[in-house]
Amino acid sequence: MKRVLDDLNLFCAVVEHGSLKAASNSTGIPHSTVSRRLEALEQTLGLTLMQRTTREVTVTPRGKELYLDCEPLFNRLRDSISLAEDAEATFKGPLNVSMPVRAGIDFLGAWLIDFASEHPELKLNVSLSNDNKNLIKEDIDLAFRVGPLLDSSAIALHLWDIPYSLCAHHSYIEKHNLNPNKVTAHQVSTLPCVIAHPAKQWSFVDTLSNEVMISPQPSLEVDDLGLAYHGVLTGQYMAMLPQSMIKSDDVQSLMVDALAPRTRVMYAYYFGKRHIQSQIKQLAGYVKSRFHESLSAPNN
């Protein structure tokens, strides 16, 4: 019976993905094995579930009925297993976490320490870096990263959006005779700017949501957004910064050729190591809830 259920689950995967090859890629089961197990399932049930040609596989009417009957059951079973795993998640042992420098100093690091204090057996190893480190090579279990992300094979949980603003001090605006509502891309690429690594280009979107990249003139380069903001406060540079960092009334947002700075995203970023998936999902959920609590705090 177990083998029949396993083969039914595989059959549902084939229907869902539209081909044996796609199901093979998704499940990691060799294409020949998928084909053989489907044939065995048809023989066991005495039904023709799929019509095969050299070019495609078509689900028969009876196969569609079986899929519609079985897939909701398998989905509920997977959901139940996930809930059970989450409920039994044990927060103990080492967990290597990487996060951006400024976010780690300002709030993320403290939130993770608060979480660890509630789970004394969890041994956190937290590192601050603005580099997009390789999770496997650096043995990182969880990375908090601002997208876009480079490795599409990892799991990325969307945590929150980060609106950005191109900005400058009012003395900078006066010095360079800028109209804050009509700054040109040429001015951005030639006037003094401070850039925070690793972003050496600034991303905007036009009215049609197309991405437009502008390369600023890097008169100052830093490895921390807080230092970039300090550079703006000196009145010597313009910068692309998260809107939440801009606290001074003397710093003004700039509009560039009807372009809007691209909103970026904070992700929890990890590979699917089975034994820590539930831990990571719950930890990411905790961080996300702390972020939303911070938005409604009286001092914000």
Side-chain angles (χ1 to χ4, degrees):
M1 178 60 71
K2 179 180 181 301
R3 182 56 183 267
V4 173
L5 292 175
D6 288 343
D7 290 347
L8 275 171
N9 190 32
L10 183 57
F11 163 71
C12 290
V14 172
V15 176
E16 182 176 342
H17 289 89
S19 71
L20 272 67
K21 182 178 180 181
S24 173
N25 293 336
S26 174
T27 61
I29 299 173
H31 183 280
S32 59
T33 303
V34 173
S35 179
R36 185 172 63 253
R37 285 177 56 179
L38 288 181
E39 291 176 359
L41 177 64
E42 289 179 320
Q43 291 179 2
T44 300
L45 300 179
L47 300 171
T48 300
L49 303 177
M50 293 185 162
Q51 299 288 353
R52 299 169 177 80
T53 69
T54 56
R55 293 187 177 182
E56 62 181 358
V57 174
T58 304
V59 184
T60 65
R62 188 64 189 95
K64 290 180 181 178
E65 292 178 5
L66 185 63
Y67 170 78
L68 293 175
D69 287 340
C70 293
E71 184 58 17
L73 299 176
F74 283 120
N75 278 333
R76 286 198 295 271
L77 181 59
R78 284 189 287 266
D79 289 343
S80 296
I81 291 172
S82 294
L83 288 172
E85 289 177 343
D86 290 345
E88 292 298 320
T90 56
F91 297 95
K92 62 181 180 181
L95 190 69
N96 299 323
V97 182
S98 174
M99 62 184 64
V101 174
R102 179 49 45 187
I105 292 173
D106 287 349
F107 53 90
L108 263 180
W111 293 347
L112 261 68
I113 292 172
D114 290 345
F115 184 87
S117 70
E118 299 173 8
H119 304 279
E121 294 185 74
L122 180 63
K123 183 180 178 182
L124 275 181
N125 179 10
V126 177
S127 63
L128 306 183
S129 174
N130 291 330
D131 294 333
N132 288 319
K133 294 182 178 294
N134 186 292
L135 301 189
I136 294 178
K137 290 182 179 179
E138 301 289 339
D139 193 27
I140 297 171
D141 298 310
L142 169 64
F144 292 95
R145 284 287 173 262
V146 177
L149 301 175
L150 300 179
D151 194 332
S152 60
S153 63
I155 298 170
L157 301 178
H158 182 291
L159 296 179
W160 57 79
D161 293 333
I162 308 174
Y164 270 67
S165 177
L166 180 67
C167 61
H169 195 273
H170 70 82
S171 61
Y172 180 98
I173 295 172
E174 293 175 0
K175 177 181 178 180
H176 295 283
N177 194 28
L178 296 177
N179 180 342
N181 296 318
K182 292 184 179 180
V183 177
T184 67
H186 177 72
Q187 288 172 318
V188 175
S189 61
T190 56
L191 292 177
C193 296
V194 52
I195 63 171
H197 295 296
K200 294 188 176 182
Q201 289 185 307
W202 291 342
S203 176
F204 297 82
V205 291
D206 62 19
T207 55
L208 299 177
S209 297
N210 298 311
E211 185 174 36
V212 177
M213 303 299 295
I214 298 179
S215 298
Q217 174 63 43
S219 300
L220 173 65
E221 300 184 35
V222 297
D223 198 28
D224 174 66
L225 288 170
L227 293 177
Y229 182 54
H230 185 80
V232 170
L233 291 174
T234 67
Q236 299 302 311
Y237 316 97
M238 76 172 88
M240 180 76 79
L241 296 171
Q243 291 179 5
S244 60
M245 292 188 67
I246 303 172
K247 306 294 185 182
S248 173
D249 293 335
D250 291 330
V251 177
Q252 187 171 350
S253 294
L254 308 174
M255 291 293 296
V256 182
D257 292 339
L259 301 174
R262 178 178 288 279
T263 295
R264 303 183 73 183
V265 176
M266 178 67 80
Y267 291 99
Y269 184 48
Y270 66 98
F271 280 97
K273 296 180 182 179
R274 183 75 175 176
H275 65 290
I276 61 170
Q277 277 194 46
S278 295
Q279 292 186 36
I280 287 176
K281 286 189 290 185
Q282 290 200 35
L283 176 54
Y286 172 86
V287 167
K288 187 173 184 178
S289 66
R290 287 292 298 267
F291 174 78
H292 288 292
E293 288 172 9
S294 72
L295 295 180
S296 58
N299 59 342
N300 285 319

